[in-house]
Amino acid sequence: VAGEATDEAGVVEVEDADVEVADGVEGGVGVPGLVAQFGEEAGVGAEGLGELRQVIDGARGVGKLVVELGQQTDEATRFGEGWTEIHLEDTDLSRLVEDSVETFRRRALAASALLKADISPDIHAEVDAEAMAIMISNLLENAVKYGDDPVTVEIDLSMAGNRVVLEVGDNGAGISEEDVGLIFGRFYRGGDEMTRTTRGTGLGLYLVQQIVEAHRGKVGVVSTGPAGTIFRVTIPGFEV
């Protein structure tokens, strides 16, 4: 699952990885080499590499960013365009969302964010559980990053006819009209002040869209403005 580790051992591993990557950046490998490496693995062209370099150069905490980038590049390679190895099985989505929320609570606590969940029980769907957990985590991470202080994140799961409806909302400043149609692009990050001062790879929402569409679903922004933004995911599903 995308995001921070949930046990003490995992945290140590992530922190050690941060140090190693930071040492590599400062000691000779350099950001250009790391960008080229990740770009080659993800099949990114010259234009995409330039955008990726701008993301890293403009971010704070380059060591942690590159660790996140490496993880999400791997996920983009596995679950991005042309993804065919999808493993569908009947999954209790209510339980999966609950587990994802609990896993994410530590991240929310670290960001002093309030995480609210309203999850209807007994909702099922034929899904790839690993991919869906990554999708949920990326939406939650996006909401925490762009919420206003104090950050409030809400996640709701319900049924509408034969469709599962997952909504994740934040209390941020909203998304500009020109960015709404672009935010699911690979490596895309909006150009407002909040984006420039918020660490990210530009891969999280791209992965969300690729995973949802692989499940014959749709994802989009249903509302955005000064009171915050709500993302909505719909996929086929049923209640038991």
Side-chain angles (χ1 to χ4, degrees), residues 146 179 189-198:
Y146 296 104
D179 283 341
R189 304 188 77 220
D192 59 23
E193 184 63 26
M194 174 62 78
T195 296
R196 286 196 294 269
T197 58
T198 302

Side-chain angles (χ1 to χ4, degrees), residues 15-202:
E15 291 175 351
D16 288 346
D18 289 348
V19 172
E20 292 169 6
V21 171
D23 287 345
V25 171
E26 296 173 1
V29 175
V31 171
L34 290 167
V35 169
Q37 175 186 340
F38 290 128
E40 181 179 354
E41 292 177 359
V44 179
E47 182 178 353
L49 287 177
E51 295 172 356
L52 178 54
R53 175 63 188 272
Q54 291 178 8
V55 168
I56 293 180
D57 285 344
R60 296 175 299 177
V62 69
K64 289 184 178 181
L65 177 62
V66 175
V67 170
E68 181 181 347
L69 174 62
Q71 179 176 346
Q72 290 196 332
T73 298
D74 176 66
E75 292 168 355
T77 301
R78 295 169 59 202
F79 302 118
E81 294 179 59
W83 174 36
T84 57
E85 296 183 7
I86 184 169
H87 302 291
L88 299 178
E89 58 182 357
D90 181 5
T91 301
D92 184 339
L93 274 186
S94 299
R95 177 71 61 83
L96 190 151
V97 173
E98 288 174 351
D99 290 346
S100 296
V101 168
E102 289 308 308
T103 298
F104 197 78
R105 285 196 186 279
R106 182 170 182 173
R107 167 71 177 98
L109 181 62
S112 300
L114 176 62
L115 183 56
K116 301 179 180 179
D118 184 3
I119 303 169
S120 297
D122 303 323
I123 293 178
H124 281 236
E126 294 283 335
V127 300
D128 184 307
E130 179 186 7
M132 291 299 290
I134 290 171
M135 182 272 291
I136 295 165
S137 178
N138 284 353
L139 285 175
L140 290 171
E141 179 67 28
N142 187 76
V144 166
K145 284 180 177 177
Y146 296 104
D148 280 347
D149 189 23
V151 176
T152 300
V153 176
E154 298 186 26
I155 179 168
D156 300 327
L157 182 73
S158 62
M159 288 292 301
N162 62 351
R163 307 286 290 184
V164 176
V165 180
L166 175 73
E167 292 188 344
V168 177
D170 63 52
N171 64 333
I175 304 170
S176 68
E177 184 176 349
E178 56 267 30
D179 283 341
V180 168
L182 302 172
I183 55 176
F184 295 103
R186 186 166 57 178
F187 297 128
Y188 183 80
R189 304 188 77 220
D192 59 23
E193 184 63 26
M194 174 62 78
T195 296
R196 286 196 294 269
T197 58
T198 302
R199 181 175 62 87
T201 65

